[in-house]
Amino acid sequence: MEILDKLINVALIAATLRTTAPILLVALGGSFTTKAGIFNIGLEGQMLAGAFFAVIGSIWTGSAFAGVACGVAAALAFALAFAVLVVTFRANEVVVGLALNILAGGMTISLMKAIFGTRGSIVGHGIVGLPKVQIPGAQALLGSWAPLISGFTPIVYVAFIAVPLLVLFYNRTRLGLYIRVVGEKPEAAEALGISITRVRYIASLLSGLLAGLAGAHLSLGYITMFTENMSSGRGFMAVAILIFSNGDPLKVLAGCLLFGFADAFSLRLQTFGFPSYLVLTVPYVVALTALFALSYRARPKIIKETLASMQKLLSVDRNSAPVDKNP
């Protein structure tokens, strides 16, 4: 019981919110392209580019917020390249997304070597981290629970506030309606005179905007450094969440909280001496379990029919079994 109290407490919930923020931002960004009918697997690369250029921007300007702007600009450039290749030239979206992910990984390593003369990580060099927001009165109001609402970087608040805003955006705004129509009924959108190309470009750029914020949070908020491939598959986790949520902001939030908790819990387990190579697999095990559960839910009819066929076969075998007339 004492170990359980040490594992699950207010600090773990606060850490969950902190680790959820980057996945939530990139997944909400991906919801724009998902709603517009584009399978955007390039979120990982956009996030990584955003993290790297946020660090570069903060070093060159001495401002964390200028660094965030640089990170967002880099992610937007990747999102624009994705849109040009997929929307205009109609290239395969999976191939383009994977190519941009590989490009982002190789480019950040090469630039790190060219600019800093090192590989692995960038630490120091005047990197300016994002400030933490202390909400007035939180400590007096909530006491030991205050860390749940206070002490996060501004991007964490942006991530969670974005969820209800996107719900309103998809249901109450003309652009949100256009994005949904283009994704669900492109023929109807054409008949209504909606430009599918323009809407999908806008959706891709909005996706890049939030992916850039997610990357900037990783390198300037979550920690104040950059390491090779520091996105660590969070973009792919966001893609997994988008598959089973279909881009719905509330379902995206639920899935991201699950992965964020798994991430925070794995970090907490390391402090209790569990092998790091096992602990670091926890978020990915959760991702596979969620996808398996999704597949199970998506095909209940097939599974029920299979079970019914097996029961019927077993009952036939039982009835056709020879009866012993001389007991």
Side-chain angles (χ1 to χ4, degrees):
M1 192 65 184
E2 185 180 351
I3 293 177
L4 192 61
D5 289 340
K6 288 181 180 178
L7 278 174
I8 301 175
N9 49 32
V10 175
L12 177 64
I13 301 173
T16 297
L17 298 178
R18 197 174 296 113
T19 54
T20 296
I23 306 175
L24 179 59
L25 276 172
V26 73
L28 289 175
S31 76
F32 289 111
T33 47
T34 300
K35 291 283 187 184
I38 302 173
F39 183 60
N40 189 357
I41 204 172
L43 295 170
E44 177 82 4
Q46 295 173 18
M47 196 177 182
L48 185 61
F52 178 76
F53 282 97
V55 165
I56 296 293
S58 77
I59 293 173
W60 285 351
T61 63
S63 166
F65 292 103
V68 172
C70 291
V72 169
L76 283 173
F78 270 74
L80 180 61
F82 179 83
V84 169
L85 293 171
V86 171
V87 179
T88 302
F89 294 103
R90 299 184 184 280
N92 184 287
E93 52 203 3
V94 175
V95 175
V96 172
L98 287 175
L100 290 176
N101 289 342
I102 295 170
L103 173 64
M107 184 186 71
T108 52
I109 292 172
S110 300
L111 288 177
M112 197 190 315
K113 180 71 175 176
I115 297 173
F116 300 98
T118 183
R119 282 196 59 177
S121 62
I122 306 171
V123 184
H125 297 283
I127 300 174
V128 183
L130 286 164
K132 293 183 178 179
V133 178
Q134 301 295 337
I135 296 180
Q139 187 67 36
L141 182 65
L142 299 176
S144 61
W145 292 84
L148 296 182
I149 64 168
S150 180
F152 299 107
T153 62
I155 295 181
V156 175
Y157 296 102
V158 170
F160 286 95
I161 292 172
V163 175
L165 291 181
L166 257 66
V167 173
L168 294 175
F169 173 78
Y170 288 126
N171 294 297
R172 300 290 183 183
T173 67
R174 180 175 296 181
L175 179 58
L177 178 63
Y178 283 0
I179 289 176
R180 287 169 51 202
V181 172
V182 164
E184 295 170 8
K185 300 285 184 183
E187 302 85 3
E190 281 186 336
L192 291 170
I194 301 171
S195 172
I196 295 177
T197 300
R198 186 168 59 186
V199 170
R200 284 182 170 166
Y201 262 88
I202 292 173
S204 297
L205 292 176
L206 289 173
S207 171
L209 171 67
L210 293 188
L213 283 177
H217 172 70
L218 276 183
S219 58
L220 298 182
Y222 192 62
I223 52 177
T224 311
M225 62 183 292
F226 178 82
T227 59
E228 290 181 12
N229 297 317
M230 73 177 304
S231 48
S232 301
R234 289 180 175 85
F236 294 119
M237 287 184 186
V239 172
I241 292 167
L242 289 168
I243 289 173
F244 69 74
S245 69
N246 198 28
D248 181 80
L250 295 177
K251 292 180 181 176
V252 165
L253 173 63
C256 290
L257 283 172
L258 175 65
F259 287 120
F261 176 78
D263 200 4
F265 192 67
S266 66
L267 294 174
R268 179 61 62 89
L269 286 177
Q270 290 186 52
T271 62
F272 286 85
F274 288 93
S276 60
Y277 57 87
L278 287 178
V279 168
L280 292 175
T281 62
V282 171
Y284 306 102
V285 171
V286 171
L288 290 173
T289 305
L291 287 174
F292 175 78
L294 170 69
S295 303
Y296 183 83
R297 285 189 57 192
R299 300 179 181 177
K301 187 177 178 182
I302 297 174
I303 294 172
K304 286 179 181 176
E305 288 177 354
T306 304
L307 291 174
S309 301
M310 291 178 65
Q311 287 177 351
K312 190 175 180 181
L313 181 64
L314 290 173
S315 64
V316 169
D317 288 346
R318 198 177 297 118
N319 293 333
S320 61
V323 178
D324 189 359
K325 297 182 179 178
N326 300 310

